[in-house]
Amino acid sequence: MTMDATRQRFLMCRPTYFAVDYAINPWMDPNAPVDTDLAIRQWERLRQVYRDLGHTVEEITPLPGLPDMVFAANGGTVIDGKAMAVQFRDPQRADEAPAYRAWFEGAGFELYDPKHVNEGEGDVLLAGDHLLAGTGFRTAHAAHAQLQEVFGYPVITMQLVDPRFYHLDTALTVLDERTVAYLPEAFSPGSQAVLRRLFPDAVHATMADAEVLGLNAVSDGRHVVLPAQATDLAAKLRDRGYQTIGVDLSELRKAGGGPKCCTLRLRQGKASK
Ligand code: ARG
């Protein structure tokens, strides 16, 4: 295994207006208290971890009335300098889509508009030469064909079956070009078989790891940033030679989000990865 870290360019959105005002996944309870100031401090710590690892963090301006805008992974899919904008399933998040689209346009990416519900990197993960695309809760199956057409990577449909793991990035994380970690039970039997075939050496996470959103992790190929509470998963990753960095995003988890949800990978042309 090569354990070289690749420098990353990320897009993040400060949780200035973060709240849990509605429930569009089982983690969200609008009656439970949320500490927005603590959410901001936890998010700033995540941003600092990335900077300390040598990654570049770009920021999009948060907008009032869009409490989930902090989850930048849902703002698009950006590969090889092409940015595919998003279409949210839920009306509460609809206005985030044009804001992210405008950011991509301003940043000079080649823009593509979605024809179906498509929640960006929440459901679309590049793993080596394959695009793994989730469906079942948010991103429509029909969106997968468009992703393949736009990006030119073979798209592998992943059928999600547990509503707590409603986005692919809550059930699976890409560790490097060859390896992923995932929660088998979050996928249909057929998708589990595909995962075993594609990634025979994958790390299997436990339900306990997944229930603290441990799989909502960000890897640069060597360092894996993951929720601090996912201790078993962190130990397994260290056994494989990764360096793990635990972060506490307890407030954002009340909306069903972790480190990966807060982080959109901006991939330029192939050469500059
Ligand atoms: N409350 C947000 C939603 O339900 C959380 C999104 C988390 N993002 C992610 N990439 N999993 O849409």
Coordinates of all heavy atoms in Angstrom, one line a residue, residues 39-84:
A39 N -21.0 24.7 17.8 CA -20.9 24.1 16.5 C -19.9 24.9 15.7 O -19.1 24.3 15.0 CB -22.3 24.2 15.7
I40 N -19.9 26.2 15.8 CA -18.9 27.0 15.1 C -17.5 26.7 15.6 O -16.5 26.5 14.8 CB -19.2 28.5 15.3 CG1 -20.5 28.8 14.5 CG2 -18.0 29.4 14.7 CD1 -21.0 30.2 14.8
R41 N -17.3 26.5 16.9 CA -15.9 26.2 17.4 C -15.5 24.8 16.9 O -14.3 24.6 16.6 CB -15.9 26.3 18.9 CG -16.0 27.7 19.5 CD -15.6 27.8 20.9 NE -16.4 27.0 21.9 CZ -17.5 27.4 22.4 NH1 -18.0 28.6 22.0 NH2 -18.2 26.6 23.2
Q42 N -16.4 23.9 16.9 CA -16.0 22.5 16.5 C -15.7 22.5 15.0 O -14.7 21.9 14.5 CB -17.2 21.6 16.8 CG -17.4 21.3 18.2 CD -18.6 20.5 18.5 OE1 -19.6 20.4 17.8 NE2 -18.6 19.8 19.7
W43 N -16.4 23.3 14.2 CA -16.2 23.4 12.8 C -14.8 24.1 12.5 O -14.0 23.7 11.6 CB -17.3 24.2 12.1 CG -17.2 24.5 10.7 CD1 -17.6 23.7 9.7 CD2 -16.5 25.6 10.1 NE1 -17.3 24.3 8.5 CE2 -16.6 25.5 8.7 CE3 -15.9 26.8 10.6 CZ2 -16.1 26.4 7.8 CZ3 -15.4 27.7 9.7 CH2 -15.5 27.5 8.3
E44 N -14.5 25.2 13.3 CA -13.2 25.9 13.2 C -12.1 24.9 13.5 O -11.0 25.0 12.8 CB -13.2 27.1 14.1 CG -14.0 28.2 13.6 CD -14.1 29.4 14.5 OE1 -13.8 29.2 15.7 OE2 -14.4 30.5 14.1
R45 N -12.3 24.0 14.4 CA -11.2 23.0 14.8 C -11.0 22.1 13.6 O -9.9 21.8 13.2 CB -11.7 22.3 16.0 CG -10.9 21.0 16.3 CD -9.6 21.2 17.0 NE -8.8 20.0 17.0 CZ -7.6 19.8 16.6 NH1 -6.9 20.9 16.2 NH2 -7.0 18.7 16.6
L46 N -12.1 21.7 12.9 CA -12.0 20.8 11.7 C -11.2 21.5 10.7 O -10.3 21.0 10.0 CB -13.4 20.4 11.2 CG -13.4 19.6 9.9 CD1 -12.8 18.2 10.1 CD2 -14.9 19.4 9.5
R47 N -11.5 22.8 10.4 CA -10.8 23.6 9.4 C -9.3 23.7 9.7 O -8.5 23.6 8.9 CB -11.5 25.0 9.3 CG -10.9 25.8 8.2 CD -11.5 27.2 8.2 NE -11.3 27.9 9.5 CZ -11.7 29.1 9.8 NH1 -12.3 29.8 8.9 NH2 -11.4 29.6 11.0
Q48 N -9.0 23.8 11.0 CA -7.6 23.9 11.4 C -6.9 22.6 11.2 O -5.7 22.6 10.8 CB -7.5 24.4 12.9 CG -6.1 24.7 13.4 CD -5.6 25.9 12.5 OE1 -6.2 26.9 12.3 NE2 -4.3 25.7 12.0
V49 N -7.6 21.5 11.5 CA -7.0 20.2 11.2 C -6.5 20.1 9.8 O -5.4 19.7 9.5 CB -7.9 19.1 11.6 CG1 -7.5 17.7 11.1 CG2 -8.0 19.0 13.2
Y50 N -7.4 20.5 8.9 CA -7.1 20.4 7.4 C -5.9 21.3 7.1 O -5.0 20.9 6.4 CB -8.3 20.8 6.6 CG -9.5 19.9 6.6 CD1 -10.8 20.4 6.5 CD2 -9.3 18.5 6.7 CE1 -11.9 19.5 6.6 CE2 -10.4 17.6 6.7 CZ -11.7 18.2 6.7 OH -12.7 17.3 6.7
R51 N -5.9 22.5 7.7 CA -4.8 23.4 7.4 C -3.5 22.9 7.9 O -2.5 23.0 7.2 CB -5.1 24.8 8.0 CG -6.2 25.5 7.2 CD -6.4 26.9 7.9 NE -7.4 27.7 7.1 CZ -8.1 28.7 7.6 NH1 -7.9 29.1 8.9 NH2 -8.9 29.3 6.8
D52 N -3.6 22.3 9.1 CA -2.3 21.7 9.7 C -1.8 20.6 8.8 O -0.6 20.3 8.8 CB -2.6 21.3 11.1 CG -2.8 22.4 12.1 OD1 -2.5 23.6 11.7 OD2 -3.3 22.2 13.2
L53 N -2.7 19.9 8.1 CA -2.3 18.8 7.2 C -1.8 19.3 5.9 O -1.3 18.5 5.1 CB -3.4 17.8 7.0 CG -3.8 16.9 8.2 CD1 -5.1 16.2 7.9 CD2 -2.7 16.0 8.6
G54 N -1.9 20.6 5.7 CA -1.4 21.2 4.5 C -2.4 21.3 3.4 O -2.0 21.6 2.2
H55 N -3.7 21.1 3.7 CA -4.7 21.2 2.7 C -5.2 22.7 2.6 O -5.0 23.5 3.5 CB -5.9 20.3 3.1 CG -5.5 18.9 3.3 ND1 -4.6 18.2 2.4 CD2 -5.9 18.0 4.2 CE1 -4.5 17.0 2.8 NE2 -5.2 16.8 3.9
T56 N -5.8 23.0 1.5 CA -6.3 24.3 1.2 C -7.8 24.3 1.5 O -8.5 23.4 1.0 CB -6.1 24.8 -0.2 OG1 -4.7 24.7 -0.5 CG2 -6.6 26.2 -0.5
V57 N -8.3 25.3 2.3 CA -9.7 25.4 2.6 C -10.3 26.6 2.0 O -9.8 27.7 2.4 CB -10.0 25.3 4.1 CG1 -11.5 25.4 4.4 CG2 -9.4 24.0 4.7
E58 N -11.2 26.5 1.1 CA -11.9 27.6 0.5 C -13.2 27.7 1.3 O -13.7 26.7 1.8 CB -12.3 27.4 -0.9 CG -11.1 26.9 -1.8 CD -10.5 28.0 -2.6 OE1 -10.8 29.2 -2.4 OE2 -9.6 27.7 -3.4
E59 N -13.8 28.9 1.3 CA -15.1 29.1 2.1 C -16.1 29.7 1.2 O -15.8 30.7 0.5 CB -14.9 29.8 3.4 CG -14.1 29.0 4.4 CD -13.9 29.7 5.7 OE1 -14.9 30.3 6.2 OE2 -12.7 29.7 6.2
I60 N -17.4 29.2 1.4 CA -18.5 29.9 0.7 C -19.3 30.6 1.8 O -19.3 30.1 3.0 CB -19.4 28.8 0.0 CG1 -20.6 29.4 -0.6 CG2 -19.8 27.7 1.0 CD1 -21.4 28.4 -1.5
T61 N -19.8 31.8 1.5 CA -20.5 32.6 2.5 C -21.8 31.9 2.9 O -22.7 31.6 2.1 CB -20.8 34.0 1.9 OG1 -19.6 34.5 1.4 CG2 -21.4 34.9 3.0
P62 N -22.0 31.7 4.2 CA -23.3 31.1 4.7 C -24.4 32.1 4.5 O -24.2 33.3 4.6 CB -23.0 30.8 6.2 CG -21.9 31.7 6.6 CD -21.1 32.0 5.3
L63 N -25.6 31.5 4.3 CA -26.8 32.4 4.1 C -27.8 32.1 5.2 O -28.0 31.0 5.6 CB -27.4 32.0 2.7 CG -26.6 32.3 1.5 CD1 -27.3 31.8 0.2 CD2 -26.3 33.8 1.4
P64 N -28.4 33.2 5.7 CA -29.4 33.0 6.8 C -30.6 32.2 6.2 O -30.9 32.3 5.0 CB -29.8 34.5 7.1 CG -29.3 35.3 6.0 CD -28.1 34.6 5.4
G65 N -31.2 31.5 7.1 CA -32.4 30.7 6.7 C -32.0 29.4 6.0 O -32.9 28.6 5.7
L66 N -30.7 29.1 5.9 CA -30.3 27.8 5.4 C -29.4 27.1 6.4 O -28.2 27.0 6.3 CB -29.6 28.0 4.0 CG -30.4 28.6 2.9 CD1 -29.5 28.9 1.7 CD2 -31.6 27.7 2.5
P67 N -30.1 26.5 7.4 CA -29.3 26.0 8.6 C -28.4 24.8 8.2 O -27.4 24.5 8.9 CB -30.4 25.5 9.6 CG -31.6 25.4 8.8 CD -31.5 26.4 7.7
D68 N -28.7 24.1 7.1 CA -27.9 22.9 6.7 C -26.8 23.3 5.7 O -26.1 22.4 5.2 CB -28.8 21.8 6.1 CG -29.4 20.9 7.2 OD1 -28.8 20.8 8.3 OD2 -30.5 20.3 6.9
M69 N -26.7 24.5 5.4 CA -25.7 24.9 4.4 C -24.3 24.6 4.8 O -23.4 24.5 3.9 CB -25.8 26.4 4.0 CG -25.1 26.8 2.8 SD -25.4 28.5 2.3 CE -24.1 28.7 1.0
V70 N -24.0 24.4 6.1 CA -22.7 24.0 6.6 C -22.3 22.6 5.9 O -21.1 22.4 5.8 CB -22.7 23.8 8.1 CG1 -23.8 22.8 8.6 CG2 -21.4 23.4 8.6
F71 N -23.2 21.9 5.4 CA -22.9 20.5 4.9 C -22.5 20.7 3.4 O -23.2 20.3 2.5 CB -24.0 19.5 5.1 CG -24.3 19.4 6.6 CD1 -25.5 19.7 7.1 CD2 -23.3 18.9 7.4 CE1 -25.8 19.6 8.5 CE2 -23.5 18.8 8.8 CZ -24.7 19.1 9.3
A72 N -21.3 21.2 3.2 CA -20.8 21.6 1.9 C -20.7 20.4 0.9 O -20.8 20.5 -0.3 CB -19.4 22.3 2.0
A73 N -20.6 19.2 1.5 CA -20.5 18.0 0.6 C -21.7 17.9 -0.3 O -21.6 17.3 -1.4 CB -20.3 16.7 1.4
N74 N -22.8 18.4 0.2 CA -24.1 18.3 -0.6 C -24.2 19.5 -1.6 O -25.2 19.5 -2.3 CB -25.3 18.4 0.3 CG -25.3 17.2 1.3 OD1 -25.4 17.4 2.5 ND2 -25.1 16.0 0.8
G75 N -23.2 20.3 -1.7 CA -23.3 21.4 -2.6 C -22.9 21.1 -4.1 O -23.2 21.9 -5.0
G76 N -22.3 20.0 -4.3 CA -21.9 19.6 -5.7 C -21.0 18.4 -5.7 O -20.8 17.8 -4.7
T77 N -20.6 18.1 -6.9 CA -19.6 17.0 -7.2 C -18.6 17.6 -8.1 O -19.0 18.2 -9.2 CB -20.2 15.8 -7.8 OG1 -21.3 15.3 -7.0 CG2 -19.2 14.7 -8.0
V78 N -17.3 17.7 -7.7 CA -16.3 18.4 -8.5 C -15.1 17.4 -8.8 O -14.4 17.0 -7.9 CB -15.8 19.6 -7.7 CG1 -14.8 20.4 -8.6 CG2 -17.0 20.5 -7.3
I79 N -15.0 17.1 -10.0 CA -14.0 16.1 -10.5 C -13.4 16.6 -11.8 O -14.1 17.0 -12.7 CB -14.6 14.7 -10.7 CG1 -15.3 14.2 -9.4 CG2 -13.5 13.7 -11.1 CD1 -16.1 13.0 -9.6
D80 N -12.0 16.6 -11.8 CA -11.3 17.0 -13.1 C -11.8 18.4 -13.6 O -11.9 18.6 -14.8 CB -11.6 15.9 -14.2 CG -11.1 14.6 -13.8 OD1 -10.2 14.5 -12.9 OD2 -11.5 13.6 -14.4
G81 N -12.0 19.3 -12.7 CA -12.3 20.6 -13.1 C -13.8 20.9 -13.5 O -14.1 22.0 -13.8
K82 N -14.6 19.8 -13.4 CA -16.0 19.9 -13.8 C -16.8 19.9 -12.5 O -16.5 19.1 -11.6 CB -16.5 18.7 -14.6 CG -15.7 18.5 -15.9 CD -16.2 17.2 -16.5 CE -15.4 17.0 -17.8 NZ -15.8 15.6 -18.4
A83 N -17.7 20.8 -12.4 CA -18.6 20.9 -11.2 C -20.0 20.6 -11.6 O -20.6 21.3 -12.5 CB -18.5 22.2 -10.6
M84 N -20.6 19.5 -11.0 CA -22.0 19.2 -11.2 C -22.8 19.8 -10.0 O -22.5 19.5 -8.9 CB -22.2 17.7 -11.3 CG -23.6 17.4 -11.4 SD -23.8 16.4 -12.9 CE -25.2 15.5 -12.4

